[in-house]
Amino acid sequence: MQQVRHLLESKGGSLYTIAPDAPVLNAIKLMAEHRIGALLVMRGAQLLGVVSERDYARKVILQGRSSSQATVSEIMRPDPLTVGPQTDVLDCMRLCTDSRVRHLPVVEEGKVVGVISIGDLVKAVIDAQAEQIEHLERYITG
């Protein structure tokens, strides 16, 4: 199975972040603009948390709050679980499912180098299984 570093290489080097004191509306606009489901909440190089569309729905919309008045720090998930680039994809999948999280920041030598989502992990697992099946079919038929 592949490692997280391979997922980051295939996704490219984009890293989308927002400051904790930014209005939630800014976070939602940024996620929509880049078609992503979460942002890393950072102060300088320090990772403070993750804010996602789900956080927005649960903590702003469903509570009848204003997107322009609530700040990212009020709705983010602080102290997120992180993984390293060398972490195996299946280990990340277990971490996501056991912890019920959808996004894992990737940290190397104390620096955030990317983020992977449960969708990235599912795709990697399915692709690996498809490749294994192809090899088995070639073995059986030929």
Side-chain angles (χ1 to χ4, degrees):
M1 185 53 57
Q2 64 182 316
Q3 296 179 339
V4 169
R5 80 173 75 259
H6 302 117
L7 294 181
L8 292 179
E9 289 168 3
S10 66
K11 287 178 68 167
S14 299
L15 191 60
Y16 301 104
T17 66
I18 194 156
D21 57 347
V24 171
L25 183 59
N26 292 7
I28 295 305
K29 286 179 180 178
L30 189 58
M31 283 187 260
E33 177 183 329
H34 295 288
R35 297 177 183 222
I36 56 174
L39 296 169
L40 299 176
V41 182
M42 299 185 71
R43 182 176 291 122
Q46 181 186 12
L47 176 63
L48 302 176
V50 174
V51 64
S52 71
E53 294 169 327
R54 280 184 164 195
D55 299 322
Y56 172 67
R58 288 180 180 152
K59 297 177 183 175
V60 177
I61 294 175
L62 292 178
Q63 294 181 8
R65 297 173 68 192
S66 167
S67 302
S68 58
Q69 293 177 339
T71 63
V72 169
S73 64
E74 294 177 84
I75 70 164
M76 71 179 193
R77 284 170 286 123
D79 304 317
L81 296 171
T82 63
V83 294
Q86 73 286 352
T87 308
D88 185 82
V89 166
L90 288 178
D91 291 335
C92 291
M93 184 71 103
R94 280 187 212 94
L95 183 60
C96 282
T97 55
D98 291 349
S99 304
R100 310 271 309 149
V101 298
R102 299 176 66 89
H103 300 89
L104 293 171
V106 182
V107 177
E108 184 173 38
E109 298 177 6
K111 181 182 176 191
V112 178
V113 295
V115 63
I116 55 170
S117 70
I118 189 74
D120 298 328
L121 297 170
V122 168
K123 182 180 181 324
V125 169
I126 290 171
D127 289 349
Q129 288 176 344
E131 184 178 337
Q132 290 172 349
I133 289 169
E134 183 180 317
H135 288 294
L136 290 171
E137 285 175 342
R138 273 191 264 142
Y139 175 77
I140 290 170
T141 59

